[in-house]
Amino acid sequence: MNSQLVEQSEKLAIEGGMPIRSTLLPYARQFLSEEDIEEVNKVLRSDWLTTGPKVEEFEKAFASFVGAKEAVAVNSGTAALHSSMFALGIVEGDEVIVPTMTFAATANAVVFQKGTPVFCDCDPQTLLIDPVKVEEKITDKTKAIVAVDYAGQPCEYDELREIADRHKITLVSDACHALGANYKGRAVGTLADLNTFSFHPVKPIATGEGGMITCESYESAEKMRRLRNHCLTSDHRERQEKGAWHYGMEDLGYNYRLSDIHCALGLSQLKKVNDWTNRRREIAKKYNQTFAQMDSVTPLGLRDDVTHAYHLYVIQLELDKLSVDRGEIFKALRAENIGVNVHYIPVHMQEFYKREFGTGEGLCPIAEQSYERILSLPMFASMKDEDVEDVIEGIEKVINYYSK
Ligand SMILES: *Cc1c(COP(=O)(O)O)cnc(C)c1O
């Protein structure tokens, strides 16, 4: 290349230079094989589109994969969280401790049951809920703690369990990021009393929309199976098999059912979890090696007693070493067609919670400060090595340009 071309390729895309890529690399996306599609086709040709045999088959396979006794399929991760709050019997006046560094649905699920989410701050390195701060938030109204395995790294479950047991409250895991991860050799999905998953296309496996709750208690599982079907005492298939029409309704339920079409896709996707998790770990290793050499970029802290599922790969920018803020870095990377994202705006900073629960700035200072400097980089199993190189090149190009 002549010097003019070199200059052209190094000029930031946001300033009119050549972008690193010609099309946007998203931060996450699903991967479907022909086999997945064929499994869905089989259901489309069968008698049962919903509430058929694939639901139980998916539940059994999922329970067996994580090593839990029970799994309950529902139609989103949000429905999984709400079902958990219902199973726990959360009612008006009850408090549930939730991290603020999470997706809004974690806290919303408490509000669906008229409970009060109590927002808890995080560890500044891992951004996982801080057990010391959890304990400070416990009152005589506290009924449960929800731990979110942020980015795919399991929380401090032994400490959280000890706190929950001592206060005789329940431990829930929002494991929507963490299918495939382990904590001290124990699989995510078995670490809390109720464990929730999402199968949205950006999550570790995809069914389109979908979710699951795993637990040891048959009683809780049955409660949630009822809730997903309007709290009726029997479902359509059971009635058809018995040739009966009568059903009772003892509580107010919802339609949170996951269809056989979705479950067939889930069953097929579940077979890939280990391979995909390994691939994401390989990508994370590449990123880690790169960022170890860069002063202005710090990857999240890694605990040594876990294996990470790397749903997200989050970096924290060292803003004092940069001439612009996170917003400018974000825009510059997007212009390079590197699909960075931000996970998350602390939930207690959302207008709804400010208005309805009186939350706001200063409630969780570590999460608020971290929010200003985090970026999620593209991370999904079907990324090619060239895609990973593009991300690294893009980060180097933009960060070096804005370094003081
Ligand atoms: C995705 C997600 C949810 C919600 O799952 P949906 O399937 O989109 O309803 C809840 N909590 C966390 C941490 C998530 O990442």
Side-chain angles (χ1 to χ4, degrees):
M1 276 202 275
N2 67 35
S3 60
Q4 215 179 341
L5 273 175
V6 170
E7 230 166 73
Q8 186 63 26
S9 72
E10 283 172 351
K11 194 169 173 187
L12 295 192
I14 201 168
E15 296 187 342
M18 275 261 286
I20 296 276
R21 297 172 60 90
S22 56
T23 56
L24 185 77
L25 179 69
Y27 87 90
R29 59 161 298 155
Q30 75 277 14
F31 181 67
L32 296 195
S33 65
E34 284 306 312
E35 191 189 1
D36 294 334
I37 294 166
E38 195 36 50
E39 288 304 313
V40 171
N41 280 339
K42 280 189 210 160
V43 173
L44 295 176
R45 295 188 195 100
S46 80
D47 288 339
W48 294 97
L49 294 188
T50 193
T51 319
K54 285 291 167 193
V55 181
E56 200 179 319
E57 217 183 301
F58 185 32
E59 289 181 341
K60 290 229 160 96
F62 196 93
S64 149
F65 179 80
V66 301
K69 212 176 261 164
E70 296 285 341
V72 180
V74 289
N75 55 22
S76 70
T78 305
L81 284 160
H82 182 194
S83 302
S84 301
M85 293 302 125
F86 174 82
L88 295 184
I90 299 301
V91 291
E92 194 161 359
D94 291 344
E95 294 179 356
V96 177
I97 297 172
V98 299
T100 190
M101 188 50 85
T102 184
F103 183 55
T106 314
N108 296 352
V110 179
V111 183
F112 296 160
Q113 286 297 114
K114 300 193 169 66
T116 303
V118 174
F119 293 100
C120 186
D121 213 344
C122 57
D123 174 275
Q125 264 85 47
T126 62
L127 306 190
L128 296 171
I129 197 166
D130 182 340
V132 173
K133 299 207 168 99
V134 167
E135 182 119 42
E136 290 167 7
K137 299 273 179 181
I138 290 180
T139 72
D140 52 8
K141 291 179 183 162
T142 310
K143 290 285 151 51
I145 304 164
V146 184
V148 174
D149 299 328
Y150 178 79
Q153 172 158 242
C155 296
E156 300 257 15
Y157 280 97
D158 280 351
E159 285 178 45
L160 292 170
R161 167 60 68 197
E162 193 272 320
I163 294 167
D165 286 352
R166 193 149 35 79
H167 294 275
K168 299 190 169 51
I169 60 178
T170 310
L171 182 59
V172 176
S173 160
D174 178 344
C176 287
H177 296 182
L179 179 61
N182 284 276
Y183 170 83
K184 300 185 180 175
R186 283 137 57 199
V188 160
T190 65
L191 300 170
D193 299 305
L194 297 164
N195 310 270
T196 66
F197 297 88
S198 164
F199 310 133
H200 182 277
V202 298
K203 300 290 163 75
I205 63 170
T207 63
E209 300 286 355
M212 191 76 81
I213 310 102
T214 58
C215 61
E216 293 306 296
S217 159
Y218 173 74
E219 197 196 339
S220 298
E222 279 301 294
K223 261 192 209 165
M224 294 185 284
R225 289 192 184 105
R226 291 262 156 82
L227 181 78
R228 79 176 167 197
N229 192 34
H230 313 280
C231 285
L232 302 187
T233 49
S234 66
D235 71 30
H236 176 68
R237 190 155 154 247
E238 286 162 359
R239 288 194 295 277
Q240 175 155 326
E241 278 167 1
K242 285 187 196 140
W245 54 269
H246 188 266
Y247 54 82
M249 193 196 106
E250 287 157 5
D251 226 322
L252 185 66
Y254 297 81
N255 178 353
Y256 281 167
R257 297 186 303 257
L258 191 62
S259 80
D260 281 54
I261 305 168
H262 294 86
C263 288
L265 184 52
L267 267 163
S268 191
Q269 291 257 303
L270 192 60
K271 296 180 190 154
K272 322 284 182 26
V273 173
N274 289 333
D275 286 349
W276 288 348
T277 310
N278 287 335
R279 172 60 182 153
R280 291 195 305 273
R281 285 185 188 138
E282 206 175 86
I283 297 168
K285 203 167 150 193
K286 259 279 180 49
Y287 283 161
N288 286 340
Q289 283 165 356
T290 306
F291 304 135
Q293 321 290 322
M294 293 177 75
D295 291 342
S296 334
V297 172
T298 309
L300 287 189
L302 253 182
R303 298 155 37 100
D304 55 15
D305 51 4
V306 301
T307 62
H308 200 309
Y310 285 109
H311 162 55
L312 302 176
Y313 188 95
V314 176
I315 57 171
Q316 302 208 71
L317 300 172
E318 300 303 333
L319 295 173
D320 55 343
K321 299 193 173 86
L322 295 165
S323 58
V324 291
D325 65 10
R326 187 268 317 275
E328 293 300 312
I329 303 274
F330 178 96
K331 275 193 266 177
L333 284 163
R334 280 288 181 96
E336 302 293 342
N337 279 323
I338 306 298
V340 286
N341 221 312
V342 176
H343 299 93
Y344 292 96
I345 301 165
V347 184
H348 75 279
M349 297 299 286
Q350 296 289 1
E351 217 32 62
F352 170 79
Y353 285 103
K354 287 184 180 171
R355 189 179 69 235
E356 299 293 327
F357 293 91
T359 63
E361 209 170 322
L363 185 63
C364 299
I366 292 171
E368 290 165 31
Q369 284 157 28
S370 302
Y371 164 64
E372 300 294 340
R373 52 191 286 243
I374 48 178
L375 271 181
S376 305
L377 307 188
M379 171 59 91
F380 51 97
S382 60
M383 273 175 85
K384 298 188 181 70
D385 288 342
E386 300 88 86
D387 298 329
V388 179
E389 288 305 323
D390 285 347
V391 176
I392 289 171
E393 241 182 86
I395 296 277
E396 284 175 343
K397 180 180 173 185
V398 168
I399 293 291
N400 289 340
Y401 183 84
Y402 289 119
S403 281
K404 277 187 197 163

